[in-house]
């Protein structure tokens, strides 16, 4: 449960650990979430993570910047999000920062409700969207699974359910309206 401050901190630490693992030993990840937004993720104010990315500086690093470092490390990153105007800002940010990388793909889908972060070593899933509200405000129930069979079966499920070679709707989405606070999600 992520209702308490400690629970919210712990879920961010789990997400950070999963992504840091992929920076150090890049393989493949899937980020599947109906709603996505940027949020403070990795506390580098003491410089503990400078070795991962010297340009971060001594500050709290947002989710998208950590994800960008994962991609630039050579990890194959597959992102599946709902095709909805609420995701416009996030979608444009990720496309602008990462479209030149062959190992980064985004798929937009209309019927997405699944939520999870999958690496070759672990699967984090549950009710939480990967948004500011999901990681800071909402009461969420999450499961962290390291079972080889669960990870393998989830890779099979994601790759068959979300075929990224048909990377649809690559045109930029107009996000000239004020950025959503995603308070509904």
């Amino acid at each position: 449960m992520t209702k308490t401050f400690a629970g919210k901190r712990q879920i961010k630490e789990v997400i950070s650990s999963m992504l840091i693992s992929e920076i150090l030993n890049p393989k493949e990840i899937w980020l599947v979430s109906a709603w996505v937004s940027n949020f403070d993720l990795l506390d580098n104010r003491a410089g503990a993570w400078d070795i991962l990315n010297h340009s971060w500086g001594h500050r709290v690093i947002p989710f998208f910047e950590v994800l960008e470092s994962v991609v630039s490390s050579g990890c194959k990153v597959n992102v599946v999000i709902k095709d909805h105007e609420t995701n416009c800002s996030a979608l444009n940010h990720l496309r602008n920062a990462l479209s030149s990388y062959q190992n980064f793909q985004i798929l937009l889908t209309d019927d997405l409700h699944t939520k999870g972060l999958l690496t070759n070593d672990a699967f984090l899933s549950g009710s939480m969207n990967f948004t500011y509200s999901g990681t800071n405000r909402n009461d969420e129930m999450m499961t962290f699974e390291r079972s080889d069979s669960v990870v393998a079966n989830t890779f099979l499920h994601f790759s068959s359910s979300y075929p990224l070679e048909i990377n649809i709707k690559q045109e930029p989405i107009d996000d000239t309206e004020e950025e959503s606070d995603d308070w509904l999600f």
Side-chain angles (χ1 to χ4, degrees):
M1 300 273 297
T2 63
K3 189 171 189 172
T4 66
F5 174 76
K8 299 214 176 288
R9 187 186 75 239
Q10 290 167 344
I11 201 67
K12 288 181 188 180
E13 289 173 359
V14 170
I15 296 168
S16 296
S17 297
M18 292 175 74
L19 296 177
I20 288 168
S21 172
E22 293 301 316
I23 292 171
L24 295 172
N25 187 19
K27 295 176 187 163
E28 180 176 7
I29 69 168
W30 284 83
L31 172 64
V32 179
S33 182
W35 314 110
V36 178
S37 69
N38 213 358
F39 53 89
D40 287 344
L41 180 63
L42 182 64
D43 189 347
N44 194 43
R45 289 177 287 195
W49 302 108
D50 284 351
I51 195 159
L52 297 177
N53 186 330
H54 298 289
S55 69
W56 280 346
H58 295 187
R59 61 189 175 92
V60 178
I61 312 305
F63 176 54
F64 289 167
E65 282 188 54
V66 177
L67 197 59
E68 290 166 22
S69 291
V70 171
V71 172
S72 69
S73 75
C75 181
K76 182 178 179 184
V77 176
N78 308 299
V79 176
V80 181
I81 61 176
K82 191 173 191 88
D83 187 8
H84 190 274
E85 64 187 32
T86 302
N87 286 323
C88 289
S89 179
L91 180 62
N92 286 337
H93 177 99
L94 292 171
R95 282 188 176 154
N96 288 336
L98 300 170
S99 64
S100 65
Y101 289 91
Q102 295 293 326
N103 56 318
F104 176 74
Q105 297 184 71
I106 296 178
L107 177 71
L108 301 176
T109 182
D110 292 325
D111 301 324
L112 187 66
H113 188 71
T114 303
K115 299 149 190 105
L117 178 62
L118 175 66
T119 70
N120 283 26
D121 301 308
F123 180 43
L124 176 67
S125 64
S127 63
M128 185 189 80
N129 285 295
F130 287 77
T131 63
Y132 175 85
S133 292
T135 57
N136 291 285
R137 282 194 267 210
N138 299 343
D139 182 16
E140 306 286 359
M141 178 69 80
M142 300 299 292
T143 302
F144 182 70
E145 182 66 59
R146 296 219 37 207
S147 161
D148 290 341
S149 63
V150 169
V151 168
N153 286 331
T154 306
F155 261 103
L156 287 172
H157 173 71
F158 281 178
S159 60
S160 64
S161 297
Y162 311 116
L164 287 164
E165 51 277 349
I166 307 170
N167 200 346
I168 60 170
K169 300 185 181 176
Q170 284 294 318
E171 71 277 356
I173 297 175
D174 180 19
D175 68 346
T176 53
E177 292 183 30
E178 204 166 297
E179 186 173 329
S180 170
D181 191 25
D182 74 7
W183 62 272
L184 295 174
F185 312 105

